[in-house]
Amino acid sequence: MSTKRRLKPEDYTVGWLCALAWTEQVAAIKMLDEQHQELPQPECDDNAYTYGSIKGHNIVVACLPVGQPGTISASRLVESLPKSFPNLRIHLFVGIGGGIPRDPPSANPDKDVRLGDVVVGMAEKPGVPGVVQYDFERNRGQGQNELLGSLDKPNRQLLTALGKMFSNYVMGVSDFHIHLGGLRDLRSNFARPELGGDKLYRSSYDHVDTGPRSSCERCNADELVVRKQRQKPDPLFHQGQILSEDSVIKNAQRRDTLGERFPDALCCEMEAAGVVDQTHCLVIRGIADYADSHKNEFWQPYAAGTAAAFAREFLLTIQPRAVADIAEEEFRCHQIFRTTDYEAQKNRNPNRVQSTCQWFLDHSTYQQWLNEESASLLGVSANPGCGKSVLSKYLVDSNLGRPASHPVCYFFFKDDSEDQRSTEKALCSLLHQILQHRRILLQHAINKYRIDGTSLPTLFESLWSIFTAIVTHSEAKDIICVIDALDECKKSGRVALVHKLNELYHTTELDDNPQLFVRFLVTSRGYQDIQNDFHRLTIRLPGEEESHLISQEIDLVIKWKIQGIASTLGIDKAEQQFLEEKLSNFPHRTYLWVTLVMEVIRGRQCPLRAGITKRRLQAVVDDLPETVEGAYSAILDKSTDKELARKLLHCVVIAKRPLTVEEMNIVLAIQESEKSEGDIDIELMKRFRNTVRNLCGLFISIEKERIYLIHQTAREFLICNRDTVGPVMSS
């Protein structure tokens, strides 16, 4: 029976990544205080892991497959980590790299990078990225290039630990050499090569022999660069920039050119660029060669050992509590975007009736947008009451028929609530959902969170900056954002949002610019100004041109709703069919109209309540309003107290936010003669809900104890019809 401990995947907080199995991975495993039992292979994860701990830090060691170096392999290595180990908070990429020496050498030998030294990807100068993918940039015009592949600074706690570790090493208060000495009993030769083995040749002089094990015995010693010897042969630690690309450098002149271009660079390697774009890691490199033609494998084990010993000493400097603090900061950062109950806002809309929305799902334009490789924006327009929000809800709930790993994020605008009219709330909701599914993308939000703090959810430009960084990140691939009822957004915010979307699509279409990975589906009424604002970047699907197909689906809703009220009214199959045929012949029927006329039919004054006859059925049909506006008037005409209904509707329309049922109960009970709260004669809450229903019928809906109008058109009707709701509406 194994004496090793067995932990759960969520117990691991540190990811230790390496590229070479026989050196870097061996050194990493040797640095563990203890190894843990193997865990079952995570689903959809091809990586092989070693589990262990160092002084309270639970660590997962992961290595690239043998014989598969490079950025693509490194990218595949890390893409499974967040799913398999959701609580990883520190990522260390530990291994070997090529040194970038200075020409001429520094007068202080401790400033020069030498074989066996350790370079940590953290430039000393502010504003200089620690790791750069130097072959990934875009042309900004006028001879200026912008680097796109760069890694921001790690968390503040890690920086503090790094500074403390450097100080301890300089003062001799470090166990680095003890960690390094623990590798000497391994079969691989992790000992430091003999003195005099650290040779730097002039850039113009090429190596004589070839092959990975080829020494420089035949190289001309006169071509060596003269460097001042250090007092001790011990490896030194350096803060500096690390350059990365998908190929190894074995050319001194190319190395020197990069050194001139990036004066803070001390090291080059070929894997970090694969993780720079996916995880907020600290890159640690032991110098194994000088990135020239004299490159060989002699120094690789020792350099891998110094990098591993550095990583262990670094973890010993960090308290496990600091890792918990990092997790807490990330949690707070994520939760600051939870500014609305976006699920409840979505669920205010009814579910689709079976077999409806098919006109959209089968449409060639939708299918093209859904299946094409590029991330485009699909704009869907339709007339009021034609089911745009029902369609959006169905698309979200069904995840557009895609696997759960391809999430759909959403926001539903509504003009009856300040929260649901706000572009800032919309961006916060989308960000909260995206980060819920792709935690790795928090790296793009954390710095803004540290700067803006609790004000971040109110700052449109900061939110958009985060959003842009996320949607152009490869980890955001396969995400779809559904934005419903854009026309109900506050106009100033809508104009700003559409402008930013246009700018985003225009920028990402240019050569050498970041690729857009997130698709957008936006619904709205077919207002010309909205369509014009989106310019040519939108794939348009005008529902107004599909009215015949939508009408056929509305007939399905008519049939379904009549079946629902048949038992209440006591009508048989033939009478149901009669009503279906008559309602389906109304020329301007919409989903909303069907819902409203069903309320009229169910009303207390409906002739059918006196008994069912063919003439009475015909009378019901003849008396039905032909438009949505007529249906609204009919519902209000049947109110049990028109004056009280008018007062209630005034409050709903002019309120800055939706009122609760309790608040509305108090408002309606207040009389001019009452002087204090104790004088108010309030109806029991249980009965008051029925009172609201009797006053306004389907005009009003109650969701989570808040009172809403049934539809945007209801608000428009109330404001436009002074005779119906009184002069207060016009103000």
Side-chain angles (χ1 to χ4, degrees), residues 226 268 280-281 290 306 382 469 486 502 531 552 558 567 660:
V226 178
C268 56
H280 212 56
C281 71
Y290 290 117
T306 60
L486 181 63
N502 275 317
Q531 295 175 18
Q552 292 175 14
I558 290 173
S567 58
T660 65

Side-chain angles (χ1 to χ4, degrees), residues 359-360 363-366 378-382 538-544 546:
W359 73 270
F360 178 82
H363 202 286
S364 59
T365 301
Y366 167 69
L378 176 63
V380 183
S381 63
T538 308
I539 300 174
R540 283 201 62 228
L541 199 167
E544 302 92 336
E546 307 296 332

Side-chain angles (χ1 to χ4, degrees), residues 329 332-333 336-337 431 444-466:
E329 182 186 42
R332 290 196 305 269
C333 176
I336 204 170
F337 299 115
L431 286 170
H444 297 295
I446 199 76
N447 285 338
K448 287 287 186 184
Y449 169 69
R450 291 169 183 162
I451 295 169
D452 296 326
T454 56
S455 299
L456 180 57
T458 67
L459 304 175
F460 178 80
E461 291 295 335
S462 290
L463 292 171
W464 186 257
S465 174
I466 296 169

Side-chain angles (χ1 to χ4, degrees), residues 492-690:
S492 59
R494 185 185 75 212
V495 171
L497 180 61
V498 172
H499 172 74
K500 290 293 188 182
L501 284 169
N502 275 317
E503 191 177 66
L504 174 64
Y505 273 90
H506 176 71
T507 302
T508 53
E509 276 190 340
L510 300 177
D511 292 339
D512 300 325
N513 278 7
Q515 182 181 351
L516 183 63
F517 290 96
V518 173
R519 304 176 193 210
F520 295 86
L521 189 153
V522 181
T523 73
S524 74
R525 294 186 185 183
Y527 293 150
Q528 194 62 45
D529 62 330
I530 295 179
Q531 295 175 18
N532 291 341
D533 287 344
F534 271 118
H535 306 308
R536 62 181 179 82
L537 297 173
T538 308
I539 300 174
R540 283 201 62 228
L541 199 167
E544 302 92 336
E545 299 176 6
E546 307 296 332
S547 57
H548 63 293
L549 294 176
I550 295 176
S551 294
Q552 292 175 14
E553 294 192 359
I554 290 172
D555 293 343
L556 296 176
V557 177
I558 290 173
K559 182 176 182 178
W560 180 77
K561 286 186 175 289
I562 289 176
Q563 290 173 349
I565 66 171
S567 58
T568 303
L569 298 177
I571 57 178
D572 61 22
K573 292 287 186 182
E575 291 161 340
Q576 289 180 43
Q577 187 175 355
F578 174 81
L579 277 178
E580 290 170 16
E581 291 174 355
K582 292 297 182 181
L583 293 182
S584 296
N585 286 329
F586 277 77
H588 303 297
R589 61 194 183 280
T590 64
Y591 290 106
L592 178 60
W593 175 83
V594 173
T595 300
L596 295 174
V597 297
M598 288 298 164
E599 175 73 6
V600 173
I601 292 174
R602 280 195 294 257
R604 291 187 173 185
Q605 299 173 26
C606 175
L608 297 181
R609 295 196 176 273
I612 306 295
T613 67
K614 188 173 183 180
R615 288 182 180 176
R616 285 173 179 159
L617 280 174
Q618 185 64 55
V620 167
V621 173
D622 292 342
D623 196 42
L624 286 177
E626 296 186 3
T627 64
V628 168
E629 291 77 12
Y632 284 141
S633 295
I635 290 172
L636 291 180
D637 284 343
K638 293 176 172 58
S639 173
T640 55
D641 187 331
K642 292 184 177 59
E643 288 302 318
L644 199 58
R646 187 171 289 131
K647 183 177 180 180
L648 186 152
L649 293 171
H650 286 171
C651 296
V652 171
V653 172
I654 66 176
K656 190 172 182 179
R657 61 163 175 80
L659 298 179
T660 65
V661 176
E662 183 178 6
E663 289 169 340
M664 185 64 75
N665 193 5
I666 295 172
V667 170
L668 295 188
I670 294 175
Q671 303 296 322
E672 290 185 13
S673 60
E674 293 165 343
K675 304 299 183 183
S676 66
E677 185 176 347
D679 296 334
I680 303 174
D681 186 20
I682 300 176
E683 186 176 3
L684 287 174
M685 289 298 297
K686 187 175 182 180
R687 287 201 295 264
F688 181 70
R689 291 182 181 85
N690 291 329

